[in-house]
Structure formats: C-alpha cells, structure tokens
Amino acid sequence: QVQLAESGGGSVQSGGSLRLSCAISGNTYDTYCLAWFRQAPGKEREAVAQIDSNDYTVYTDSAKGRFAISNDKEKNTLSLQMNNLKPEDTAMYYCAAEPWCRLLLSVVRTDFTFWGQGTQVSVSS
C-alpha cells in the first residue's frame, strides 16, 4: 500500500503561483510513476503532469510551459510548481502513484492505483 497526502492548495489571483506537495509513505518500489491530476466541478478528471522513477516527465498541453513536476526521493515528496495560473486552472488537484511503472514516449497514463484526497486550487480573474 502507498499513502498520499496533498498540501499547498489555496486561492490566488490570475498570474500568481502555487506549489503543491504530496507526501508519500508506505511500501517502496524500484520503479514507479507519480502524477498530478485535477478535476474541476462538472468536468472529468484530467492528467496534468507525470514523472517516473527515472525522472522522465510527461506534461499535458494545459501544463506545458507553466507547471513543473518534481520528485524529491530523499524526502518522499512529489511537488507541482504552478506559475502563471489562470482561472481555468481552478480545480481539486490530486496526486497519484502506480508501482512497477515507466513512462514511455510522452504517453499520458491514466491507470494509477493509489490516490490522495486532493487539495483545492482556486484562481480568480
């Protein structure tokens, strides 16, 4: 089992920045994928950014150039630095983990086994 706990959400104005963190605990694996997803009210959950145990990253179009995913392996913490935030970034943000996983060819994965409870990000215009 893997436990995930997000933090760092909040309310900011358009153009502002936030840094989300996800504390990871539980079983460890030699290879894994970690990811940030988000879900806005009335919309389906969508991937934002992903990273694997080799630090290979995949970003969706909505995140490219504005968001940066990172994984501090010593602190077991996944982060998402979000810059130039826009009102359309408003959503609940979730971190997710999948053991024995590799990211390949910029393919966005959607099949993650472990999920956090989420942290709310609200961006006002």
Side-chain angles (χ1 to χ4, degrees):
Q1 292 293 318
V2 175
Q3 292 78 46
L4 305 170
E6 303 93 337
S7 61
S11 298
V12 296
Q13 290 189 330
S14 182
S17 298
L18 281 175
R19 186 176 181 85
L20 305 184
S21 296
C22 176
I24 306 167
S25 60
N27 292 343
T28 59
Y29 301 88
D30 291 337
T31 61
Y32 54 83
C33 296
L34 301 172
W36 288 98
F37 286 79
R38 68 186 183 186
Q39 187 168 21
K43 295 187 177 181
E44 293 187 355
R45 185 173 60 197
E46 64 173 354
V48 176
Q50 304 181 347
I51 189 169
D52 70 11
S53 44
N54 283 339
D55 291 331
Y56 182 80
T57 58
V58 175
Y59 292 91
T60 59
D61 289 343
S62 63
K64 288 178 182 177
R66 299 189 300 129
F67 296 0
I69 189 171
S70 60
N71 179 25
D72 187 328
K73 297 171 183 174
E74 291 188 0
K75 295 182 179 179
N76 292 326
T77 300
L78 175 70
S79 297
L80 184 69
Q81 178 66 42
M82 304 187 295
N83 299 323
N84 191 22
L85 283 161
K86 304 175 182 180
E88 51 263 42
D89 295 317
T90 295
M92 186 71 80
Y93 283 70
Y94 300 90
C95 62
E98 179 65 19
W100 307 118
C101 168
R102 283 270 193 252
L103 297 176
L104 298 172
L105 300 175
S106 298
V107 174
V108 176
R109 295 184 64 101
T110 58
D111 53 338
F112 286 80
T113 301
F114 302 103
W115 293 83
Q117 293 299 308
T119 186
Q120 178 68 40
V121 171
S122 299
V123 184
S124 59
S125 58

